[in-house]
């Protein structure tokens, strides 16, 4: 019988969806962080549930040839990355394997899954960071949360953000300390500064800064602005976002602009995009471009097509393909993002695209147009059941599904393939290197 706090010699035979090593002790599965498939090790069982437990890696007895020394000094404690101990080829193979297994097990989908498309340099790729601040032992800390906790890792350098972001975090830790700013205490729900959000434009090198606070006041505002802009002239936008709620969602609904405009500009697919602080924009522009190209190739567009870009954000997908089709209709629930999308159509001189504020599941059902191609790019919870039913009812010939959660993708494909759709092909893209997150693009066609 397996016992808590006991030590066992084990062999890892698989990996979980979040990249933990899986071993079995007398048939009882135990998941161990940082262990790789094929490795043998001494572990300590630290937690036991009814059907599975968790262990800690004590010593690796036989190391996988795919193991790599993580380049980050915070890797063992930080919740940001969890596959940095795998070499990059293994990370890509892991993502393809997880895609195949999840589609098969959760969705009963058997289809072609291509190799994961990786990056030439899988570091420093993220153009956005949300960085909570707090206090520890009386000192201001700021960085990323530990895994499954709200304990802040006071990062020195992060290897997936642009290098300047780590510098900016250090700068604000010092500035907030010097100005004796009240830092937010999550447990007591007191204090002012909750954190900062940074966005970097790969095309202009500009940065937007969002100061996230619990109220509209900002003592030492002039000093903060002056010092920030002196040190980082590439900061073109500073916004104060107000979040008074006791919640672990970082951004609130209200905001005021402190410097510049509430937009930063970036380029994707040869087009210019304005992005406001609350709008969604893909975090890895290099991979997004590759993924969009595949999505557009899957759509087999013609110049008479009416295309719907559901969950369109600031309009990136729809605007990238507008020149190939008759009309694009984008649907998005965040008002600011739709404003960005409309402005983006204007600055790129695109006249055949219109954007609707609303829920995709409600809006598509009431469109008068016959849809030839539908792009869906939902958040992690996947496509709403009502929208799936509308797709089936409207007999849309081609659906291109971009997903950041292979479990909800499997669920949705399962429904569509039971209702006259064939899953033609899936391609995973490594949008989030050094983490277990998987992004995929899938082509579905209606069967005759
Ligand atoms: C994964 S993002 C994709 C954005 C865009 N396609 C892109 O590539 O940048 C999902 C978007 O769906 C929006 N959203 C969430 N639920 C929605 C709904 N029910 N209807 C329409 N849009 C929704 C979010 O605000 C977000 O902008």
């Amino acid at each position: 019988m397996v016992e808590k706090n006991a030590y066992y010699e084990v062999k890892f035979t698989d990996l979980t969806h979040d990249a933990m090593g899986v071993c079995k002790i007398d048939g009882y599965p135990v998941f161990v962080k940082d262990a790789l498939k094929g490795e043998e090790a001494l572990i300590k069982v630290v937690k036991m549930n009814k059907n599975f437990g968790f262990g800690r890696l004590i010593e690796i007895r036989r190391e996988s040839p795919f193991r790599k020394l993580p380049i980050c000094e915070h890797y063992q404690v930080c919740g940001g990355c969890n596959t940095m101990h795998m070499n990059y080829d293994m990370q890509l193979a892991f993502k393809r394997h997880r895609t195949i297994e999840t589609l098969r097990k959760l969705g009963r989908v058997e289809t072609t899954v291509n190799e994961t498309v990786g990056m030439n340099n899988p570091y420093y790729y993220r153009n956005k960071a949300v960085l909570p601040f707090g206090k520890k032992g009386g000192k201001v800390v700021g960085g990323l949360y530990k895994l499954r906790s709200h304990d802040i890792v006071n990062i020195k350098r992060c290897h997936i953000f642009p290098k300047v972001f780590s510098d900016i975090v250090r700068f604000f830790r010092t500035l907030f300390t010097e100005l004796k700013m009240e830092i937010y205490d999550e447990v007591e729900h007191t204090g002012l500064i909750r954190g900062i959000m940074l966005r970097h434009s790969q095309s202009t090198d500009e940065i937007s800064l969002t100061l996230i606070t619990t109220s509209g006041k900002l003592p030492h505002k002039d000093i903060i602005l002056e010092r920030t802009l002196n040190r980082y002239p590439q900061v073109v936008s500073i916004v104060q976002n107000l979040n008074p709620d006791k919640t672990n969602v970082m951004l609130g609904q209200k905001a005021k602009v402190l410097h510049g405009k509430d937009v930063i500009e970036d380029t994707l697919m040869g087009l210019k995009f304005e992005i406001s602080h609350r709008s969604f924009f893909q975090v890895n522009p290099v991979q997004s471009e590759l993924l969009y190209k595949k999505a557009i190739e899957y759509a087999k567009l013609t110049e008479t097509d009416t295309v719907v870009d559901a969950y369109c954000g600031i309009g990136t997908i729809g605007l990238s393909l507008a020149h190939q089709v008759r009309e694009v209709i984008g649907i998005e629930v965040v008002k600011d993002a739709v404003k960005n999308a409309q402005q983006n159509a204007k600055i790129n001189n695109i006249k055949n695209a219109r954007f609707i504020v609303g829920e995709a599941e409600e809006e598509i059902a009431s469109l008068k147009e016959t849809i030839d191609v539908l792009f869906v790019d939902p958040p992690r919870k996947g496509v709403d059941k009502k929208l799936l039913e509308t797709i089936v009812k409207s007999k849309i010939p081609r659906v291109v599904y971009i997903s950041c959660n292979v479990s909800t993708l499997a669920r949705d494909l399962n429904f569509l393939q039971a209702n006259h759709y064939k899953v033609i092909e899936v391609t995973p893209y490594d949008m989030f290197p050094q983490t277990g997150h998987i992004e995929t693009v899938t082509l579905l066609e209606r069967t005759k």
Side-chain angles (χ1 to χ4, degrees):
M1 210 183 68
V2 185
E3 282 175 36
K4 192 176 162 188
N5 293 328
Y7 292 80
Y8 297 89
E9 296 283 347
V10 299
K11 178 163 185 179
F12 292 96
T13 51
D14 204 355
L15 290 168
T16 62
H17 70 97
D18 51 357
M20 288 195 191
V22 180
C23 61
K24 281 193 179 164
I25 308 169
D26 297 336
Y28 177 81
V30 178
F31 307 142
V32 181
K33 190 173 167 294
D34 293 343
L36 294 180
K37 186 175 170 180
E39 288 188 328
E40 292 171 12
L42 176 70
I43 67 158
K44 181 179 179 184
V45 173
V46 291
K47 191 174 172 192
M48 290 181 69
N49 297 329
K50 189 161 167 255
N51 298 322
F52 59 88
F54 293 92
R56 187 178 314 132
L57 200 56
I58 302 296
E59 196 181 332
I60 300 172
R61 305 283 200 224
R62 214 174 121 233
E63 195 175 273
S64 164
F66 304 109
R67 179 170 282 279
K68 185 173 189 293
L69 201 61
I71 65 168
C72 179
E73 67 176 282
H74 307 296
Y75 184 61
Q76 291 308 324
V77 285
C78 181
C81 296
N82 62 345
T83 56
M84 220 177 232
H85 60 294
M86 298 178 188
N87 73 18
Y88 195 49
D89 283 345
M90 186 182 181
Q91 290 188 29
L92 298 179
F94 164 69
K95 291 187 183 188
R96 176 171 184 258
H97 175 73
R98 285 258 48 94
T99 304
I100 295 170
E101 286 299 290
T102 311
L103 291 183
R104 190 174 59 79
K105 284 187 189 152
L106 297 186
R108 295 180 208 283
V109 178
E110 304 273 355
T111 188
T112 305
V113 177
N114 293 319
E115 297 291 332
T116 310
V117 179
M119 297 190 79
N120 288 336
N121 177 13
Y123 296 105
Y124 310 109
Y125 59 84
R126 250 192 103 94
N127 60 11
K128 177 184 150 185
V130 182
L131 302 142
F133 274 62
K135 269 195 154 178
K136 231 186 235 174
K139 281 192 168 167
V140 177
V141 292
L144 293 164
Y145 288 128
K146 283 186 183 171
L147 186 66
R148 284 190 263 278
S149 114
H150 270 210
D151 202 4
I152 295 168
V153 182
N154 205 25
I155 56 158
K156 286 190 196 150
R157 164 155 295 180
C158 169
H159 295 269
I160 62 172
F161 300 153
K163 289 175 186 160
V164 67
F165 282 15
S166 304
D167 198 72
I168 295 176
V169 177
R170 282 197 297 270
F171 168 81
F172 275 107
R173 280 198 299 250
T174 309
L175 187 63
F176 291 155
T177 305
E178 189 190 319
L179 297 177
K180 298 192 173 54
M181 300 294 286
E182 289 174 44
I183 307 295
Y184 184 59
D185 180 321
E186 205 179 34
V187 180
E188 302 293 331
H189 192 50
T190 56
L192 177 71
I193 307 282
R194 295 181 90 119
I196 62 172
M197 184 173 92
L198 298 166
R199 258 205 175 119
H200 173 254
S201 161
Q202 63 157 2
S203 59
T204 64
D205 222 20
E206 289 174 347
I207 289 173
S208 73
L209 162 70
T210 306
L211 296 167
I212 309 162
T213 57
T214 50
S215 79
K217 64 176 186 178
L218 188 64
H220 311 298
K221 185 179 98 185
D222 294 341
I223 301 176
I224 293 172
L225 294 191
E226 193 193 322
R227 296 259 196 102
T228 306
L229 295 168
N230 273 344
R231 173 81 179 259
Y232 302 104
Q234 68 271 51
V235 172
V236 293
S237 162
I238 304 181
V239 171
Q240 182 178 2
N241 178 284
L242 279 51
N243 185 358
D245 299 336
K246 199 169 180 359
T247 162
N248 50 22
V249 176
M250 278 294 275
L251 289 183
Q253 297 295 325
K254 289 191 185 151
K256 49 185 172 183
V257 178
L258 305 182
H259 169 74
K261 292 195 288 178
D262 178 11
V263 283
I264 182 172
E265 194 181 286
D266 209 345
T267 312
L268 208 62
M269 305 287 284
L271 301 179
K272 281 185 183 165
F273 289 97
E274 286 192 354
I275 312 150
S276 66
H277 82 286
R278 280 184 48 80
S279 298
F280 177 93
F281 187 64
Q282 298 286 357
V283 296
N284 184 335
V286 173
Q287 292 299 94
S288 302
E289 211 160 271
L290 297 178
L291 180 139
Y292 286 175
K293 282 182 183 156
K294 177 58 89 181
I296 293 170
E297 176 196 315
Y298 277 165
K300 298 186 203 92
L301 301 170
T302 69
E303 56 194 17
T304 56
D305 281 344
T306 295
V307 173
V308 169
D309 179 6
Y311 309 91
C312 69
I314 60 166
T316 37
I317 298 173
L319 293 175
S320 300
L321 57 84
H323 63 285
Q324 299 182 43
V325 300
R326 194 169 66 85
E327 190 188 11
V328 171
I329 304 163
I331 304 166
E332 162 63 47
V333 81
V334 174
K335 217 174 172 183
D336 283 351
V338 170
K339 269 196 212 151
N340 290 156
Q342 284 160 342
Q343 175 67 5
N344 290 332
K346 225 181 256 171
I347 57 182
N348 290 293
N349 202 20
I350 293 170
K351 304 227 163 58
N352 60 339
R354 67 182 172 96
F355 295 92
I356 302 168
V357 183
E359 293 183 321
E361 54 274 23
E362 301 299 331
E363 300 299 330
I364 290 185
S366 52
L367 288 178
K368 286 189 202 76
E369 292 85 346
T370 304
I371 304 167
D372 299 296
V373 181
L374 172 68
F375 287 83
V376 289
D377 184 5
R380 290 186 62 75
K381 66 179 181 196
V383 174
D384 191 273
K385 185 77 184 286
K386 196 166 165 189
L387 177 50
L388 293 174
E389 283 164 358
T390 306
I391 294 173
V392 173
K393 215 165 111 198
S394 319
K395 302 183 179 164
I396 300 170
R398 290 188 297 290
V399 177
V400 180
Y401 190 144
I402 297 166
S403 160
C404 56
N405 182 345
V406 71
S407 302
T408 51
L409 173 73
R411 178 201 66 200
D412 296 345
L413 295 187
N414 176 272
F415 177 85
L416 289 171
Q417 76 174 7
N419 288 281
H420 314 290
Y421 280 87
K422 184 167 166 36
V423 181
I424 306 291
E425 190 179 295
V426 181
T427 308
Y429 280 80
D430 196 17
M431 200 74 105
F432 315 102
Q434 319 307 333
T435 80
H437 294 293
I438 303 174
E439 182 92 8
T440 55
V441 54
T442 301
L443 170 64
L444 293 121
E445 282 177 359
R446 197 179 150 83
T447 50
K448 295 278 174 324

